[in-house]
Amino acid sequence: MNSIPALFACIEAQEHRFQNFLARLTAQESFSLDRESVSLAAELTAAFAKELGFSVEEHPFPRAGSGLVVSRETGSVSAPIGFVAHLDTVHPAGSFPDSLKPAPEGGLYGPGIVDCKGGVAVALLAMYALKELGFSRPLRLLLTPDEEVSNRLTGDDGIAFLQSHVKDCAAAFVCECGKRDEAVVERKGITKVRVDIRGRAAHAGMYYAEGISAVREAAYQILALEERSRPDAVTYNCGRISGGTAENVVPETCSYTVDIRFRTADEGERAMEHLRRVTGTAHVPGAVSSVTVLGRRSPMPRTEVGMALFAHLRDTGLRWGLEDLRPLANGGGSDAAYTVSVGVPTVCAVGMTGWDWHSVRERTEPGALVRRAKLLAAAVAEFPERLRSRDG
């Protein structure tokens, strides 16, 4: 068995090569709703992975960009170790006019450079070093094309794609964005809905009393929803609103969206019941509301085997002087929900570290690519077989 220091030396020697790949991948903008651009990011990644000596399978989807399975099969009887990341970003093309210039802290900034293209680079660097040093365990990287929109473009097929390729893995490291000395062991689920309200238009001066204001109804509903938000339980965020036609017209229509976050499936059901009660009762007599579910994501529950995997990762970081991880419960969703649901021990947010993801200030922490690749590679090299148990 090759030593961990040799593994680390290989990672350090490849830093420049993988930084260049990350820069090219980030420059290939891949907004979730732009199917062609996400597929181009998949093509770029597939070509680089093949250059590294990995097998690549492309999985096209009708409404989303392509997913990828990047793998190394060794003939070993050991179960594979899975890595998970995504190729899409929240940033529409052109959001970063100064993309890939050095950030003040010394890293780089650009669309998705932390969330989650940096995670793609971290996973590939760890896998490459393990392959080059002759570690025998099979490795598999799963890349999804629409994580940022809660998989609503690929739907059940996208979730099945991920789960079918991860269910036989001994563990899954989800290389989402994160912060130094942190890893995520629990995440909330998400339901996103749109509420459409119809009232009756009327002249705001002459016939004001005959109008039914859809905007006023929306205001009552939003207040009723958001006053029930509890950061440690269920939250309701009314993120977008549009309605009305002119200042002198009682508004006939109004629409708004709600992002509901919850810790358990039961909480999610109760949250939807509350939303249906609020929208099913007219606060402005005559107003009528309808609800459309835009997307759903299951929660990632804390599990015994997941905490055992976290303990192994933390021990690895301490033993090799890399990081002192602490376990976090996080309000943001990720594909980790679907690896946990098929019984795979999972730790999330172990990809690129940095700051201000989902903003135009998104930037990497200097040294994060090498440090996180070392952490994951060492954790795989020293992986304890007892963690394969699904019963904890």
Side-chain angles (χ1 to χ4, degrees):
M1 177 68 71
N2 292 286
S3 68
I4 300 298
L7 191 67
F8 288 177
C10 178
I11 290 171
E12 291 169 359
Q14 292 293 317
E15 178 179 10
H16 183 69
R17 182 184 189 185
F18 280 79
Q19 288 280 21
N20 284 341
F21 161 70
L22 176 57
R24 288 188 290 117
L25 182 60
T26 304
Q28 174 52 64
E29 299 190 73
S30 52
F31 180 46
S32 304
L33 304 183
D34 186 341
R35 181 176 182 269
E36 181 179 356
S37 69
V38 177
S39 292
L40 288 172
E43 287 180 17
L44 190 158
T45 304
F48 183 66
K50 291 175 182 176
E51 178 186 311
L52 297 174
F54 293 109
S55 298
V56 180
E57 298 176 29
E58 181 181 356
H59 290 255
F61 293 95
R63 297 177 56 220
S66 296
L68 295 178
V69 181
V70 178
S71 60
R72 179 206 180 206
E73 301 299 333
T74 64
S76 170
V77 296
S78 298
I81 297 293
F83 300 86
V84 179
H86 60 88
L87 292 163
D88 62 316
T89 79
V90 300
H91 306 287
S95 299
F96 283 72
D98 296 320
S99 182
L100 299 176
K101 291 186 178 180
E105 299 87 353
L108 292 175
Y109 67 97
I113 201 162
V114 183
D115 183 13
C116 178
K117 293 180 177 180
V120 177
V122 166
L124 284 172
L125 179 51
M127 292 169 63
Y128 177 78
L130 288 161
K131 177 179 73 69
E132 290 298 291
L133 270 292
F135 288 91
S136 62
R137 185 178 287 275
L139 305 170
R140 193 176 298 160
L141 170 60
L142 308 173
L143 298 175
T144 60
D146 62 341
E147 189 275 344
E148 292 291 8
V149 290
S150 298
N151 312 93
R152 73 170 178 257
L153 300 176
T154 58
D156 291 341
D157 289 342
I159 295 170
F161 157 73
L162 174 60
Q163 291 182 325
S164 66
H165 288 93
V166 79
K167 64 184 179 181
D168 64 333
C169 289
F173 294 108
V174 180
C175 295
E176 276 286 356
C177 53
K179 294 185 178 181
R180 188 185 185 113
D181 297 325
E182 296 178 355
V184 172
V185 297
E186 179 181 353
R187 287 186 180 273
K188 286 185 174 182
I190 308 170
T191 300
K192 296 181 182 182
V193 305
R194 187 186 70 245
V195 180
D196 298 302
I197 303 170
R198 180 165 292 279
R200 183 168 63 226
H203 191 285
M206 297 174 62
Y207 301 109
Y208 176 80
E210 297 178 15
I212 300 173
S213 173
V215 168
R216 185 180 177 201
E217 174 66 23
Y220 279 117
Q221 292 184 14
I222 291 169
L223 288 173
L225 289 170
E226 293 212 358
E227 70 179 6
R228 290 282 292 270
S229 291
R230 299 292 181 270
D232 60 344
V234 177
T235 58
Y236 304 82
N237 181 66
C238 301
R240 299 183 65 185
I241 185 169
S242 62
T245 55
E247 292 81 359
N248 61 346
V249 178
V250 176
E252 183 168 6
T253 61
C254 187
S255 298
Y256 65 93
T257 61
V258 190
D259 176 298
I260 306 171
R261 307 264 168 156
F262 49 91
R263 297 171 300 180
T264 66
D266 286 345
E267 276 191 352
E269 285 301 315
R270 291 195 297 272
M272 282 300 294
E273 289 171 6
H274 174 58
L275 182 137
R276 284 190 283 266
R277 284 194 298 270
V278 168
T279 58
T281 303
H283 304 264
V284 177
V288 178
S289 303
S290 61
V291 175
T292 302
V293 176
L294 302 176
R296 300 180 190 270
R297 181 185 295 284
S298 302
M300 172 197 180
R302 187 180 300 232
T303 66
E304 189 173 348
V305 289
M307 290 306 297
L309 180 62
F310 169 81
H312 167 60
L313 192 64
R314 182 174 186 271
D315 289 346
T316 301
L318 290 173
R319 182 163 54 255
W320 295 105
L322 298 168
E323 295 189 44
D324 182 2
L325 295 175
R326 60 191 180 96
L328 294 184
N330 190 298
S334 90
D335 284 331
Y338 304 119
T339 63
V340 171
S341 66
V342 290
V344 178
T346 301
V347 176
C348 192
V350 292
M352 182 66 74
T353 60
W355 302 277
D356 293 330
W357 47 85
H358 285 209
S359 82
V360 294
R361 301 176 305 280
E362 183 170 336
R363 60 203 188 277
T364 64
E365 179 188 0
L369 174 62
V370 165
R371 190 187 69 252
R372 277 290 168 94
K374 287 180 177 179
L375 178 66
L376 295 181
V380 173
E382 300 180 330
F383 188 79
E385 287 300 322
R386 60 181 171 78
L387 277 171
R388 291 188 61 187
S389 171
R390 297 294 195 267
D391 61 9

